[in-house]
Amino acid sequence: MQAFHHALNVGTDMLEIDCQLTKDGYVVVAHDNNLQRLTGQNIKISNTLLKDLPLIKAVLPVDFHPGREVQGSDRRIPLLRDVFQEFPSIPINIDIKEENDRLIKAVSDLVRENQREDITVWGNFRHTTVKKCQNENPDIHTLFSLRAVVFLTLTFNIGLLPFLPIKEQFLEILLPAAFLRKDKEFFTANKKWRFLLWLMEK
């Protein structure tokens, strides 16, 4: 939660978060389902009750700034409900990390309960996840999936984009250089990802 306050203090207009579902059905804010990197324990959020989730490590590396670390006093993995209540008027971009129908419905229910449809965006790079989000709650704005980004780029370049219907409303701009710096070996070894990152830079 401290990281979100810091982001707003330095001028961020929208928070970007990732969501997972605990074994007992609570939506928590975490990038990885496996908590090894975040907490040092090799367990999965999806297999763990909310009350049993471990604390976040006291010191964490900053992925996109090699050699830099951060620390904070609030080490609990936050609930999405608490984030909504803490920042009721701040736009939030939610990445649905797992293609899980229960997770998608739970996030949708929380958005409705907090009346945040107009200031919430959700989705994932997976096209099937975005479609499920649209079907679950068409009142929440959706992100372009990776497939939709490629489609958008190609139709723009051949001049067909103005004539095609588009359901998605928000486009995330990736920073390929940051991804390559974080895990250069993976992205240079994977031809598909290398091509897609190159395409997005053009």
Side-chain angles (χ1 to χ4, degrees), residues 164-175:
L164 299 173
I166 297 175
K167 288 187 177 181
E168 297 83 0
Q169 296 93 356
F170 283 80
L171 182 65
E172 281 187 322
I173 306 300
L174 294 178
L175 300 175

Side-chain angles (χ1 to χ4, degrees), residues 94-169:
I94 301 173
D95 190 341
I96 304 295
K97 297 306 292 185
E98 302 287 328
E99 191 165 321
N100 181 324
D101 292 345
R102 290 177 60 229
L103 172 61
I104 292 171
K105 185 180 187 310
V107 171
S108 175
D109 289 345
L110 286 169
V111 172
R112 282 198 180 101
E113 287 173 19
N114 290 271
Q115 300 180 340
R116 292 186 51 92
E117 286 92 342
D118 59 331
I119 56 171
T120 301
V121 184
W122 67 343
N124 186 266
F125 285 143
R126 289 186 299 270
H127 188 70
T128 51
T129 301
V130 172
K131 290 300 180 186
K132 287 184 177 182
C133 288
Q134 291 170 337
N135 292 334
E136 178 64 37
N137 191 337
D139 294 327
I140 305 175
H141 307 297
T142 51
L143 297 164
F144 280 82
S145 65
L146 187 57
R147 186 172 112 179
V149 169
V150 173
F151 178 78
L152 186 75
T153 303
L154 292 175
T155 54
F156 171 79
N157 282 298
I158 63 177
L160 292 178
L161 184 58
F163 309 103
L164 299 173
I166 297 175
K167 288 187 177 181
E168 297 83 0
Q169 296 93 356

